[in-house]
Amino acid sequence: MSAAAKIQATPVSTPSWVERALQAATASHSTLASASLAKLITEARGVWGKLSFPSQKLEDWKYTNPDSIVQGPYEFAMGGDASSVARELLERARVSNLGACCEVVFVDGSYCAELSRIEPATGVSVTRASETTSSIGSLGLHKEESFAALATALFSDCVSITVKKGSLVAAPIHVVHITTSISAGRVSTPRLRIDAEESSQVTVVESHVGAQGTRYLSLPVGEVVAAQSAVVDYYRIQLESEAASHVSGLSVEQHRDAVVRAHIFSFGGALVRNNAHMVLNGAGAQSVINGLSLLSDSQHVDNTTTIHHCEPNTESREHFKGVYAKESRGVFSGTIVVDKIAQKTNAFQSNQALLLSSNASIDSRPQLKIWADDVKCTHGATVGQLDADAMFYLQSRGISRQDARAFLVHAFASEVLTSVQCGPVKEFVEAVVSERLASQV
């Protein structure tokens, strides 16, 4: 039974706030010139009508309660300003020394030309939905996941990145989504599409940052298509408001000998769900998906992933880590699927959690679904606390208890960063971790 069929079995009635949001979105969609986009939105609305919101009766949502989103209310509206508030949040999201060839900035759901910098670059085009449709929605995530269907039905804009055959884009591309206090009570639908043509290479950094204390709902959708021998490094840095909800969808399709490395860093948000689907659809394809969550207070982050090996001689490595303080909660549900034809598959999956409080918790479900017989697949999950002996050793050397805790937590978290290929991103994440540890741990 497909994910869509399972969701259809126990639909939740659509609340009035969604109906109002869809009506408001319809007005903005009337300006879309693209027939293909209009068709996509119509299709997504049909799917949403069948799926509606998931409930905890579904196995995939057993450990995450979406009721706070279901109850809302949220409104669909775009537009903010390039005020000092937006500029301050942009500085918070900026990655030092990134040297981005393009920086595309959205403020409260609307493209901000004043803060953006899109310059012509050899071998790559960076456009928006008003300029091109590319193949937005072709991976069909909106057909399987209810929140992706809703995000597509409420389509507002999209950043489309196309890397030409054989092109090496040396400087990263930075896409920033800023939510100011103007967007309190709103729902936004950021969207990103990456098409890496044969033998091309690109790095894309996507940042989400929100004004602290602002309550809103963010529904990002990302699509990555890597053609033969293409290499894509994708980083999502989530620094949403501590009062926000964030439900993202990432869909990746890889062809022969393509390499995709995805990293998801979750630091903000009250309720966060990261859905990721990676399909290795060509022999020799290699996939990496890593994640790091650093939570405190009553934050809840759910990382749900599927890696599907469809062809022989493919490889995937998945490593998610979480640090949970106070009353925070983590969820990891990772599934590796190996088709019968996908012989010689090599897949590794690991989930590790560090609980800093007796009130913090983690639910972990690593899963393997293997139909081939000549494979190497491993998975595992560990949950623990700070090592008492290590704490004693550091304190015996004159290090304060707080500094010793921070040192050990940082060492635990930094292991995920070993696969980060972009130095400035690694430094940025390490700085965020250090800041959070100093203030919360």
Side-chain angles (χ1 to χ4, degrees), residues 33-102:
S34 168
S36 61
L37 267 180
K39 181 180 179 181
L40 172 67
I41 292 168
T42 300
E43 182 181 58
R45 290 196 174 199
V47 174
W48 169 254
K50 296 177 181 178
L51 302 187
S52 190
F53 285 111
S55 74
Q56 287 188 283
K57 294 180 181 179
L58 300 173
E59 187 66 23
D60 286 348
W61 285 83
K62 181 178 180 180
Y63 301 108
T64 298
N65 187 350
D67 281 356
S68 61
I69 297 175
V70 176
Q71 294 167 5
Y74 297 99
E75 63 174 339
F76 179 84
M78 296 187 299
D81 59 21
S83 65
S84 58
V85 175
R87 293 181 183 276
E88 288 174 7
L89 289 172
L90 177 58
E91 288 305 313
R92 181 180 165 210
R94 275 207 170 114
V95 179
S96 300
N97 302 316
L98 186 63
C101 64
C102 293

Side-chain angles (χ1 to χ4, degrees), residues 152-181:
T152 306
L154 296 174
F155 182 91
S156 56
D157 206 341
C158 179
V159 178
S160 181
I161 300 170
T162 302
V163 189
K164 302 301 181 183
K165 179 179 179 179
S167 297
L168 170 60
V169 185
I173 297 169
H174 195 194
V175 181
V176 186
H177 295 279
I178 297 172
T179 304
T180 71
S181 57

